[in-house]
Amino acid sequence: GQQVQQSPTSLVLQEGENAELQCNFSTSLNSMQWFYQRPGGSLVSVFYNPSGTKQSGRLTSTTVIKERRSSLHISSSQITDSGTYLCAMEGMGYKLTFGTGTSLLVDP
Amino acid sequence: EAAVTQSPRNKVTVTGGNVTLSCRQTNSHNYMYWYRQDTGHGLRLIHYSYGAGNLQIGDVPDGYKATRTTQEDFFLLLELASPSQTSLYFCASSEWDRGRDERLFFGHGTKLSVL
């Protein structure tokens, strides 16, 4: 079945540092999304990025379909960026398969 | 912004009990989903639907039933709850339209404890 591998599992940054989160897919994909989740909270879509590069403020997502990977770059991290970032792929059938997430902690 | 509302927010039941989790979305999305989230497993798809009366089996369907009564409403049923079903349950909706916005919108989750 479809598998989604995220790395790193966890990450600790000092405020102002940059972060690069990775997502690798075991099968071909039609599209992928990045989500943000606070502890015990709901998930909020950060990027819908089927291919190429997209930027939103300090966040940049790059998806390379042929290489079955996507990355999320966070620049100048802030304390409020702390939480879990999950990636998910849509292989076929209009449903998403999720990775297990990267837990990010940004310290002051 | 898409709105997905789940109820209840918290639920405690005993082993063998019946539980119904409710989800309503107000954006006329065609697809709705039920996921469970557990430490170490991420989000796993239980059931999903692409319209009223339709039901598709997800990746972890055992012990769960679901019903989509209207475009807006999707229910998850646990008829003989077991402790292994203790989890955080999320409902989500999406409008799949190739080349347009296919984001998934989530509810706030239901924390279910089966004692």
Side-chain angles (χ1 to χ4, degrees):
Chain A
Q2 301 166 351
Q3 291 188 351
V4 180
Q5 297 291 334
Q6 285 192 245
S7 61
T9 303
S10 62
L11 186 60
V12 180
L13 300 175
Q14 294 295 311
E15 193 172 17
E17 291 182 327
N18 299 332
E20 185 91 2
L21 312 181
Q22 300 289 342
C23 195
N24 291 280
F25 312 107
S26 63
T27 63
S28 59
L29 63 154
N30 288 320
S31 68
M32 67 80 55
Q33 299 182 37
W34 284 95
F35 294 86
Y36 169 75
Q37 183 179 30
R38 288 198 183 279
S42 185
L43 289 87
V44 177
S45 178
V46 175
F47 281 108
Y48 166 72
N49 186 12
S51 66
T53 298
K54 291 190 174 183
Q55 183 175 3
S56 175
R58 295 181 294 104
L59 303 181
T60 303
S61 171
T62 300
T63 298
V64 184
I65 291 284
K66 287 199 300 185
E67 297 179 10
R68 300 179 184 173
R69 62 176 176 86
S70 182
S71 64
L72 178 66
H73 183 82
I74 304 173
S75 64
S76 304
S77 62
Q78 299 178 359
I79 295 172
T80 53
D81 294 332
S82 298
T84 299
Y85 293 81
L86 298 100
C87 65
M89 65 168 283
E90 188 241 331
M92 59 181 189
Y94 302 105
K95 56 180 180 175
L96 292 183
T97 299
F98 283 79
T100 53
T102 294
S103 177
L104 175 65
L105 177 63
V106 181
D107 285 332
Chain B
E1 187 77 359
V4 180
T5 303
Q6 292 182 235
S7 62
R9 295 292 295 270
N10 291 280
K11 176 72 177 180
V12 179
T13 190
V14 295
T15 299
N18 291 344
V19 177
T20 298
L21 307 185
S22 302
C23 178
R24 167 165 285 195
Q25 53 97 4
T26 58
N27 288 276
S28 301
H29 286 168
N30 50 7
Y31 278 81
M32 294 185 73
Y33 305 83
W34 279 107
Y35 284 91
R36 60 178 289 175
Q37 186 176 33
D38 305 286
T39 303
H41 291 281
L43 275 87
R44 293 179 290 175
L45 181 63
I46 304 170
H47 291 297
Y48 65 110
S49 165
Y50 59 72
N54 174 264
L55 181 65
Q56 302 293 314
I57 295 173
D59 300 319
V60 290
D62 292 346
Y64 301 96
K65 293 183 179 179
T67 180
R68 180 93 175 265
T69 56
T70 65
Q71 180 80 353
E72 295 78 20
D73 298 303
F74 195 29
F75 301 92
L76 186 67
L77 296 82
L78 293 72
E79 293 187 332
L80 288 172
S82 72
S84 64
Q85 294 176 308
T86 294
S87 186
L88 182 58
Y89 291 86
F90 286 103
C91 176
S93 72
S94 182
E95 181 72 23
W96 293 98
D97 186 355
R98 296 300 180 201
R100 301 184 66 180
D101 188 346
E102 297 179 344
R103 288 177 296 166
L104 209 62
F105 292 89
F106 280 86
H108 284 91
T110 295
K111 185 175 181 180
L112 174 66
S113 297
V114 183
L115 305 179

